């Protein structure tokens, strides 16, 4: 009996477990998945919790409900991988041998990486919203907040779901408008990048959104520390931004066990060097990496994990059969951008093709529109929640192609 | 596609002045570009530029944090060398694309 071991039962790990359970011969392969948390969180829903659009309970379900029969689930923390011995060591001392290992341990916000961020004001006037705890605490805060200066800050340029902070800003504008206090709220979007939108076509088409919604962009601001006494952000070049309420997107890092295994990248962010096409770990033939845990140059997002899933399944089968890894991931990502007031935009891109306008998934009829705010896109985002629980996690086919398609895209739009 | 002419070199650039072909870059060109931005390149500047180009050509992501871990400069020193947006400014002088997010 051979062992295929998956570390991490989030979006990517659970999906792979289901795909592999249907594909591998159970008389030959024993499948095991390890995670420290028994709850699965629908992370796209975190965005809606602060504004009371979703109740927090709505985004949580037991992980076990999404595991197929006949696999072993272990709820425990991973201490490290010992690639030389093909073994994973758990913090409780157990050793798990593997023939093939899939690392799907994701990324988490690390506010403690920035001096003063996780200080006295943490969950008083400073919040994250990429965690269940942060989103829930922020919901309580916003329910009674009477206005002032709301600052949304990205501490780093590489983080999970790069669209979500923009969506947060748009939904905040919508939320305070509907509450009748928009005039009492100043919204600032403070980013280390050169603007809220940086790709040419997206900037040209969506660039005005920030101005229309009276969201002030402070660009090229790289956070050094947070001053809790004076409630201000301080950048490395000495600029300061005052806040009444800070919504932070902290530095994102991969799992500690990656560092313990000395498998991380040179950035010390614990992302594993991974072949961007085959998804094989750069340094180990029988280790594959999927989702946010990799260092591949595309977005850290559920849609990316989903598209990587088909490629990874094929390459694991190639590996098992001793064949060359011929399936190639193209960096495909597909993200809704909630823009408030019941509308959303949609982007579809990969390693080589920037977000372009047009219709999706079918030319002319859509029904969704790329790089354009529509009601249909918003309904698409809401409908995705059902598809996530019932199709994506369980590894079923979703009718969107794995490779980016140019069908319906306008290459040279008339602006 | 536009071109830009510095003292001695003419290169293909995008509408923000970033080189569209990193192979048109040379150290002489970097000196000319930097001078135009009011920066006189020192050995430390050049070490940073070489680091950026190496990383870019190896398809590795570039962040200010990574420069701070390069052993060449601290993040504060990086800001001192390339005032304004240091990664943006240094990427332009290094002849590689402007750092961007996914939108």
């Amino acid at each position: 009996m051979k062992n295929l071991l998956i570390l991490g039962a989030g979006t990517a790990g659970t999906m792979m477990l289901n795909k592999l359970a249907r594909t591998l011969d159970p008389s030959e392969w024993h499948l095991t998945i390890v995670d420290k948390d028994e709850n699965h969180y629908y992370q796209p829903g975190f965005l809606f919790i602060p504004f009371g659009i979703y109740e927090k309970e709505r985004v949580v379900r037991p992980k076990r409900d999404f595991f197929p029969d006949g696999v072993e689930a272990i709820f425990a923390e991973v201490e490290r991988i010992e690639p030389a011995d093909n073994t994973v060591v758990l913090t409780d001392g157990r050793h798990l041998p593997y023939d093939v290992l899939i690392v799907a341990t994701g990324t988490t916000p690390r506010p403690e990486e920035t001096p003063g961020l996780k200080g006295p004001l943490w969950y008083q006037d400073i919040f994250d919203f990429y965690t269940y705890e942060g989103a829930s605490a922020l919901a309580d805060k916003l329910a009674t907040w009477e206005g002032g200066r709301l600052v949304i800050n990205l501490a780093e340029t590489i983080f999970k779901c790069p669209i979500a902070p923009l969506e947060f800003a748009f939904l905040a504008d919508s939320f305070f408008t509907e509450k009748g206090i928009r005039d009492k709220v100043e919204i600032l979007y403070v980013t280390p990048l050169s603007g809220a939108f940086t790709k040419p076509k997206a900037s040209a088409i969506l660039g005005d959104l920030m101005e229309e919604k009276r969201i002030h962009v402070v660009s090229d601001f790289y956070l050094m520390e947070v001053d809790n006494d004076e409630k201000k952000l301080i950048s490395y070049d000495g600029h300061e931004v005052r806040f009444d309420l800070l919504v932070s997107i902290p530095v994102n890092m991969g799992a500690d066990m990656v560092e313990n295994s000395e498998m991380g990248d040179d950035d010390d962010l614990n992302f594993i060097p991974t072949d961007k096409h085959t998804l094989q770990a750069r340094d180990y033939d029988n280790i594959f990496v999927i989702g946010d845990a990799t260092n591949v140059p595309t977005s850290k997002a559920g849609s990316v994990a989903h598209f990587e899933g088909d490629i990874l399944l094929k390459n694991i089968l190639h590996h098992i059969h001793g064949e060359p890894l011929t399936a190639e991931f193209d960096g495909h990502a597909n993200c809704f951008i909630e823009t408030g007031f019941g509308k959303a935009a949609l982007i579809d891109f990969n390693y080589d093709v920037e977000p372009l306008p047009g219709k999706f998934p079918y030319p002319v009829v859509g029904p969704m529109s790329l790089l354009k705010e529509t009601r249909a896109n918003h309904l698409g985002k809401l409908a995705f929640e059902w598809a996530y629980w019932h199709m994506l996690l369980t590894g079923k086919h979703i009718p969107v192609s794995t490779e980016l398609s140019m069908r319906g895209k306008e290459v040279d739009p008339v602006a | 596609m536009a071109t830009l002419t510095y003292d001695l070199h003419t290169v293909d650039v995008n509408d923000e002045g970033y080189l569209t072909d990193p192979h048109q870059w040379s150290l002489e060109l970097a000196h000319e570009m930097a001078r135009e931005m009011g920066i006189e390149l020192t050995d430390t500047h050049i070490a940073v530029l070489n680091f950026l180009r190496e990383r870019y050509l190896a398809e590795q992501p570039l962040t200010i944090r990574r420069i701070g871990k390069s052993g060449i400069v601290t993040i504060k020193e990086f800001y001192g060398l390339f005032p304004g947006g240091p990664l943006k400014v240094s990427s332009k002088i290094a002849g590689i694309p402007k750092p961007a997010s996914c939108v």
Side-chain angles (χ1 to χ4, degrees):
Chain A
M1 198 72 156
K2 288 183 180 167
N3 291 303
L4 189 145
L5 180 57
I6 301 174
L7 304 183
T11 305
T14 305
M15 177 187 70
M16 286 314 296
L17 180 70
N18 281 289
K19 284 177 186 287
L20 287 160
R22 283 204 290 274
T23 310
L24 295 179
D25 181 348
S27 66
E28 270 184 61
W29 286 91
H30 180 69
L31 290 175
T32 307
I33 193 160
V34 182
D35 201 292
K36 62 185 171 194
D37 192 340
E38 297 200 23
N39 287 323
H40 190 105
Y41 297 95
Y42 175 61
Q43 296 183 63
F46 288 168
L47 173 70
F48 295 129
I49 293 174
F51 304 108
I53 301 169
Y54 278 11
E55 295 293 322
K56 60 184 180 184
E57 292 77 14
R58 177 168 172 176
V59 302
V60 197
R61 298 194 187 182
K63 282 197 156 116
R64 214 177 264 286
D65 290 358
F66 301 92
F67 296 160
D69 292 337
V71 303
E72 183 181 359
I74 298 177
F75 290 106
E77 191 155 1
V78 175
E79 165 64 27
R80 64 182 183 278
I81 303 167
E82 294 186 347
D85 296 329
N86 294 321
T87 299
V88 166
V89 181
L90 304 182
T91 51
D92 61 19
R94 271 183 284 179
H95 282 57
L96 308 175
Y98 62 82
D99 294 284
V100 175
L101 179 68
I102 298 176
V103 183
T105 42
T107 178
T108 49
R110 304 291 185 105
E112 59 281 0
E113 286 286 306
T114 304
L117 187 51
K118 204 169 182 176
L121 294 181
W122 185 248
Y123 289 1
Q124 302 294 322
D125 294 312
I126 302 178
F127 298 83
D128 66 323
F129 72 92
Y130 279 68
T131 60
Y132 182 73
E133 296 73 24
S136 307
L138 184 52
D140 294 341
K141 179 74 181 184
L142 287 180
T144 57
W145 196 55
E146 289 173 354
R149 182 183 259 206
L150 166 65
V151 172
I152 299 155
N153 172 246
L154 324 182
E156 190 47 83
T157 54
I158 296 174
F159 57 91
K160 173 156 53 184
C161 193
I163 300 299
L166 281 170
E167 297 183 281
F168 187 91
F170 296 146
L171 289 180
D173 167 62
S174 182
F175 174 79
F176 294 122
T177 302
E178 280 160 15
K179 227 177 159 186
I181 61 166
R182 182 64 182 91
D183 287 339
K184 293 182 183 157
V185 180
E186 191 186 359
I187 305 178
L188 273 76
Y189 188 86
V190 182
T191 170
L193 290 159
S194 54
F197 297 95
T198 54
K199 295 279 191 190
K201 293 280 191 302
S203 304
I205 298 166
L206 299 179
D208 297 337
L209 277 182
M210 303 303 266
E211 213 176 311
E212 270 169 35
K213 295 175 186 291
R214 290 185 294 146
I215 298 160
H216 309 288
V217 178
V218 178
S219 58
D220 298 309
F221 186 100
Y222 192 53
L223 180 65
M224 183 174 71
E225 60 178 307
V226 181
D227 182 332
N228 281 244
D229 295 328
E230 299 198 14
K231 296 182 76 169
K232 61 189 184 187
L233 305 175
I234 304 169
S235 76
Y236 275 99
D237 52 347
H239 290 100
E240 298 182 351
V241 174
R242 194 188 55 74
F243 64 86
D244 293 307
L245 176 59
L246 173 62
V247 172
S248 166
I249 293 82
V251 170
N252 270 228
M253 291 175 70
D256 289 336
M257 76 88 195
V258 175
E259 189 182 346
N260 299 341
S261 315
E262 296 179 13
M263 284 176 67
D265 56 4
D266 299 333
D267 291 332
D268 295 339
L269 289 173
N270 300 348
F271 297 125
I272 301 174
T274 305
D275 186 293
K276 72 173 189 175
H277 294 302
T278 65
L279 304 175
Q280 190 175 41
R282 185 191 62 194
D283 302 326
Y284 309 97
D285 285 354
N286 62 341
I287 301 180
F288 294 84
V289 194
I290 183 168
D292 297 347
T294 77
N295 75 338
V296 304
T298 187
S299 293
K300 296 196 180 297
S303 69
V304 172
H306 166 65
F307 295 131
E308 286 173 341
D310 287 336
I311 303 294
L312 185 55
L313 180 66
K314 287 180 193 159
N315 279 341
I316 283 180
L317 295 177
H318 285 314
H319 172 80
I320 287 171
H321 298 133
E323 301 159 0
L325 309 182
T326 50
E328 294 213 333
F329 181 55
D330 67 353
H332 191 189
N334 180 285
C335 313
F336 290 99
I337 310 175
E338 279 291 301
T339 53
F341 301 101
K343 289 186 177 178
L346 178 66
I347 54 172
D348 193 58
F349 58 99
N350 70 9
Y351 290 139
D352 303 315
V353 179
E354 66 168 309
L356 295 172
K359 291 287 184 182
F360 186 88
Y362 304 107
V364 188
V365 296
M368 290 179 279
S369 307
L370 296 163
L371 280 185
K372 193 175 170 201
E373 284 187 270
T374 69
R375 177 85 184 148
N377 290 339
H378 171 67
L379 296 175
K381 173 137 185 164
L382 295 185
F384 177 71
E385 183 189 13
W386 187 91
Y388 179 86
W389 291 116
H390 296 92
M391 297 167 79
L392 194 147
L393 278 188
T394 49
K396 295 199 181 80
H397 179 69
I398 291 181
V400 172
S401 78
T402 297
E403 286 83 25
L404 179 127
S405 163
M406 292 305 288
R407 294 182 68 206
K409 291 190 172 62
E410 299 164 22
V411 178
D412 281 303
V414 182
Chain B
M1 188 176 297
T3 59
L4 259 183
T5 304
Y6 291 92
D7 292 350
L8 299 168
H9 297 83
T10 299
V11 286
D12 297 324
V13 294
N14 67 11
D15 52 10
E16 291 181 305
Y18 287 79
L19 261 62
T20 49
D21 176 6
H23 298 290
Q24 290 182 351
W25 186 86
S26 65
L27 194 52
E28 294 77 38
L29 173 74
H31 278 287
E32 292 167 18
M33 291 173 91
R35 227 168 275 139
E36 202 138 298
M37 294 184 225
I39 299 169
E40 200 58 50
L41 293 184
T42 63
D43 290 349
T44 316
H45 285 97
I46 292 165
V48 171
L49 297 180
N50 285 330
F51 178 77
L52 289 173
R53 288 184 60 81
E54 236 168 70
R55 293 272 300 183
Y56 171 74
L57 294 172
E59 295 192 338
Q60 292 170 329
L62 285 164
T63 60
I64 295 178
R65 180 189 176 93
R66 179 69 189 101
I67 313 296
K69 302 227 176 218
S70 64
I72 303 169
V73 284
T74 64
I75 293 174
K76 281 220 154 187
E77 289 164 351
F78 186 40
Y79 272 90
L81 292 176
F82 301 97
L87 193 56
K88 202 165 58 168
V89 173
S90 59
S91 295
K92 187 182 262 186
I93 301 175
I96 62 176
K98 179 172 153 182
S101 75
C102 64
V103 274

